[in-house]
């Protein structure tokens, strides 16, 4: 017998992006400029008023907060939701350490080891990691780039529902596909969850980033109030990823009380991040307009360039700041590594994320990549020059 | 079939202290002053220089940090450990969201569902919660108030070791007992973990708070470097509980790399808390002296008062800021509730924590309570006046 790590520790996937980091670092060491379209770290400044609130922090002791988060913050956040057309009370909200913790708490409170959660794939890769922590199985239902990653048909979901199925998870608008679910698709999901008594986790991290239609929150599915769990975060909304502040919102009181026990065990969410989040609730109503316009411009630049490249398929994403593209290549992982390791165009290259890491089904997405449009339009254009040239040169 | 919560959600214990909160609130509503000796929230001010660093934060974007925490912080923290006689490199450190997350990550990386961890009881109640999240069984080994909660004999540990045992957890100095493990006891633990190939998790949250002897860190157990995992936090050290910054430290690279995968899934620890923690590493070496003297004084006040009360047994704790006391009562939960609900002395009462919530074995600690000496000596004296009077009046 010797010291061992756990099976779940072995199963935990490495980040699909981080594998490429050493190649990016080596490229930079060779003097090559790398355009980072690989991560969801926005380049937008965090609102000054929100950061200023942290600088104005005046308590002499940085104490634990309430395990559900400061009541003053929860009250203002509830008002914010109401202004966005989502009717929740502050007692429906638990402030979490990033959206990540909201997902973990939700999974843990609804599922035991061996239980199953259905998620349209491609999917946010960390859902899988959080499921592994709790011994939960992610059951993917395939969406396809060929119809822009629309919600799979009801029959595809129903084929996968077993007695162990506890929940469906969507991310809306979607990371990694940028797909914005329509009201009709949301109503379809409602039918499934009510018919089969499932929870619906709706990750709405990118709710404000919708470019071609209105966002329909799962919290507004009438009659499914007991089934819906909203997962939220200030990371992207206010470009405050490092604050580590999210929220779990549900009107299901049994679930709420159970999640509270997990929240109490870890004592409290971060104090300074809550101060930032609370101040952000008081930003003017038009705060997002400029940001949204900027992202819309970036999206249009990125997508129009991609759509003009020979052999590239890129559906126009309706929200978030990601686009998926099918490239005329066989192995995206090899291609993305090659871009960093062996290619440059006028001293520049581009880092993008191979799609297989976002699929739970092995073998899917092999010729797809995810591009995050988190750089300004000029940089995106330059990055697209690089990619266009690379696709002409790459031969494997 | 209907919506259900998970079994683990049902098993999650409610905080042993929080059950009493409504009674404390009701007492205050009746105009009674409540001395809070129930929680580990220090009343010491957070060092101004550390908070000032947060106020000086100058980045325009509150970005994700490295998943292991900012390198600049880890480097300074490693220097800090070295000054404290603990030889670690910054590459042995993963910054976590509070000590809580370090424990969860450690448990998850070492144990699968069904695996076992041995912990001397009474124990920090949240260890049990974190174990439940991962389906792990806490196996308690009893320590006793009659010998001041010293380390149980080796044979008591060995009786409990099975093929599923993966680790022993200690908290040193201990929460809730205040016991400070001697070097000899630490060497005994080393023999056990080496003989049986176990991990040793050493929670050293209160390392600086030792009053009668030197602290011996598990990291200094020569020859057990691969087995030891240090769990740390700035919460108590710098009275910065709300910063939510801890650390997992290990020289075992396989374990480190596994924990990193859990850390990557949740992206990063809180940015502002890291800024505070990094600034705190630069506090003068004598920073703790005044704080320690203050706590020593409080401890001496509390313990001498308790030891003079009829029928009360209170071993002198060597560290942390907790004391356990055996009271001449039958049911501590009833007594602690009664103190808030039905008793006052000159318009004052006291809130203390019933000990059964700190024992994993049902039925133990029924006539014991935990008192946190987180108030100044005058308040402690007043609180002891209340308790002394209460013990004369209480009849059940």
């Amino acid at each position: 017998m010797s010291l061992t790590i756990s099976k779940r520790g072995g199963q935990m996937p490495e980040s699909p992006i981080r594998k490429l980091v050493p190649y990016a670092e080596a490229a930079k060491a060779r003097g090559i400029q790398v355009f980072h379209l690989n991560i969801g770290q926005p380049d937008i400044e965090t609102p000054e008023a929100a950061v200023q609130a942290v600088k104005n922090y005046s308590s002499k002791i940085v104490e634990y907060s309430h395990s559900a988060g400061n009541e003053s913050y929860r009250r203002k956040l509830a008002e914010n939701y109401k202004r966005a057309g989502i009717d929740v009370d502050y007692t429906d909200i638990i402030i979490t350490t990033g959206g990540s913790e909201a997902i973990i708490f939700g999974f843990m409170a609804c599922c035991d080891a061996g239980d199953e959660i259905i998620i349209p794939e491609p999917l946010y890769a960390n859902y899988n990691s959080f499921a592994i922590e709790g011994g939960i199985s992610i059951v993917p239902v395939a969406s396809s780039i060929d119809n822009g990653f629309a919600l799979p048909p009801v029959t595809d979901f129903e084929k996968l529902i077993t007695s162990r199925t506890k929940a469906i998870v969507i991310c809306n608008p979607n990371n990694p596909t940028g797909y914005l679910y329509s009201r009709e698709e949301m109503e379809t999901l409602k039918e499934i969850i009510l018919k089969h008594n499932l929870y619906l986790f709706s990750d709405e991290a990118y709710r404000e980033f919708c470019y071609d239609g209105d966002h329909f929150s799962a919290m507004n599915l009438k009659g499914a109030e007991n089934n819906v769990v909203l997962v939220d975060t200030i990371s992207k909304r206010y470009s405050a990823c490092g604050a580590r502040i999210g929220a779990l919102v549900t009107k299901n009181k049994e679930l709420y009380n159970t999640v509270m026990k997990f929240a109490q065990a870890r004592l409290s969410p971060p104090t300074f991040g809550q101060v930032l989040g609370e101040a952000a609730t008081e930003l003017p109503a038009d705060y997002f307009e400029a940001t949204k316009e900027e992202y819309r411009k970036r999206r249009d630049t990125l997508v129009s360039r991609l759509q003009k490249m020979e052999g590239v398929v890129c559906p126009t994403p309706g929200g978030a700041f990601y686009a998926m593209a099918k490239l005329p290549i066989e192995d995206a992982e090899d291609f993305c590594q090659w871009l960093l390791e062996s290619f440059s165009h006028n001293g520049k290259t581009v880092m993008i994320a191979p799609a297989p890491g976002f699929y739970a089904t092995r073998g899917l997405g092999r010729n797809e990549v995810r591009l995050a449009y988190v750089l300004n339009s000029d940089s995106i254009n330059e990055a697209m020059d690089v990619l266009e040239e690379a696709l002409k040169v790459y031969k494997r």
Side-chain angles (χ1 to χ4, degrees), chain A:
Chain A
M1 199 169 78
S2 67
L3 280 172
T4 53
I5 60 158
S6 63
K7 288 190 196 77
R8 73 177 128 214
Q11 285 162 3
M12 283 289 283
E14 298 207 51
S15 157
I17 299 159
R18 274 174 205 266
K19 275 187 242 172
L20 294 173
V21 170
Y23 299 106
E25 286 169 355
K28 288 177 199 169
R30 293 195 308 275
I32 292 171
Q33 183 186 350
V34 179
F35 292 107
H36 283 275
L37 298 182
N38 55 300
I39 47 164
Q41 169 62 58
D43 66 334
I44 304 285
E45 288 187 9
T46 314
E48 203 182 331
V51 178
Q52 191 58 47
V54 175
K55 297 185 181 185
N56 293 344
Y57 183 80
S58 62
S59 301
K60 293 289 181 196
I61 311 178
V62 184
E63 297 190 355
Y64 290 123
S65 72
H66 192 291
S67 295
N70 291 326
E71 187 176 319
S72 57
Y73 178 30
R74 283 181 287 143
R75 284 184 180 275
K76 287 182 195 167
L77 191 55
E79 291 306 314
N80 244 12
Y81 281 121
K82 278 176 194 149
R83 283 196 291 276
I86 301 171
D87 184 26
V88 296
D89 188 73
Y90 83 97
T91 57
D92 302 326
I93 299 172
I94 295 173
I95 303 298
T96 55
T97 307
S100 302
E101 191 181 61
I103 297 163
I104 294 172
F105 284 172
F107 282 10
M108 291 277 184
C110 298
C111 300
D112 285 303
D115 286 343
E116 298 166 3
I117 294 176
I118 298 175
I119 313 185
E121 69 177 339
L123 50 82
Y124 178 57
N126 289 325
Y127 292 152
N128 204 30
S129 302
F130 302 141
I132 288 169
E133 292 185 22
I136 300 158
S137 298
I138 297 297
V139 177
V141 54
S143 71
S144 166
I145 198 167
D146 297 325
N147 63 354
F149 300 104
L151 191 74
V154 172
T155 48
D156 287 11
F157 280 93
E158 292 196 322
K159 266 185 269 182
L160 299 171
I161 294 172
T162 74
S163 61
R164 301 305 302 258
T165 309
K166 300 294 180 200
I168 294 171
V169 177
I170 58 162
C171 180
N172 184 29
N174 193 274
N175 174 7
T177 69
Y179 187 77
L180 176 65
Y181 292 98
S182 69
R183 176 161 190 163
E184 291 65 38
E185 287 172 309
M186 295 302 294
E187 295 287 346
T188 300
L189 280 168
K190 181 176 96 172
E191 283 168 38
I192 302 173
I193 59 171
L194 288 180
K195 179 173 170 193
H196 297 279
N197 279 301
L198 303 176
Y199 290 103
L200 174 63
F201 288 95
S202 184
D203 180 345
E204 303 185 358
Y206 300 91
R207 186 169 53 242
E208 278 75 16
F209 302 95
C210 298
Y211 311 113
D212 300 323
D214 286 336
H215 184 264
F216 185 82
S217 173
M219 292 301 286
N220 287 331
L221 289 171
K222 299 291 168 228
E225 288 79 4
N226 243 359
N227 303 60
V228 170
V229 182
L230 173 63
V231 170
D232 214 338
T233 170
I234 69 167
S235 292
K236 315 293 172 165
R237 186 163 303 139
Y238 303 116
S239 193
C241 299
R244 308 312 299 130
I245 291 296
L248 181 145
V249 187
T250 184
K251 292 185 174 293
N252 181 322
K253 283 300 155 195
E254 188 185 15
L255 181 61
Y256 184 97
N257 293 334
T258 303
V259 171
M260 267 307 290
K261 294 194 287 179
F262 290 93
Q264 286 170 359
R266 63 70 162 123
L267 304 168
S268 70
T271 291
F272 296 116
Q274 290 187 74
V275 170
L276 190 155
E278 183 169 332
T281 62
E282 293 174 336
L283 289 167
D286 63 353
Y287 163 74
F288 290 110
E289 290 312 309
T291 303
K292 202 161 94 171
E293 270 320 296
E294 173 62 24
Y295 276 108
R296 187 201 307 272
K297 195 174 134 196
R298 294 172 178 192
R299 176 196 68 159
D300 292 345
T301 303
L302 179 83
V303 172
S304 68
R305 288 293 306 270
L306 285 165
Q307 290 178 343
K308 278 179 208 143
M309 292 181 204
E310 198 182 322
V312 172
V313 175
C314 178
T316 303
F321 38 68
Y322 305 102
M324 291 281 281
K326 194 194 284 186
L327 305 182
I329 57 171
E330 284 194 0
D331 182 344
E333 293 188 348
D334 181 78
F335 177 67
C336 294
Q337 182 177 328
W338 173 87
L339 279 170
L340 296 167
E341 204 177 12
S342 312
F343 180 78
S344 67
H345 174 60
N346 297 335
K348 293 163 187 169
T349 193
V350 60
M351 184 168 178
I352 52 181
F358 301 106
Y359 284 88
T361 304
R362 194 177 289 265
L364 289 186
R366 283 198 66 207
N367 58 352
E368 297 172 16
V369 296
R370 186 194 75 173
L371 305 99
Y373 41 99
V374 291
L375 302 180
N376 64 50
S377 293
D378 287 346
S379 296
I380 289 175
N381 260 319
E382 283 194 81
M384 290 304 100
D385 291 343
V386 169
L387 185 64
E388 191 162 25
E389 199 58 33
L391 286 171
K392 289 177 192 162
V393 177
Y394 179 73
K395 291 269 175 278
R396 285 199 212 184

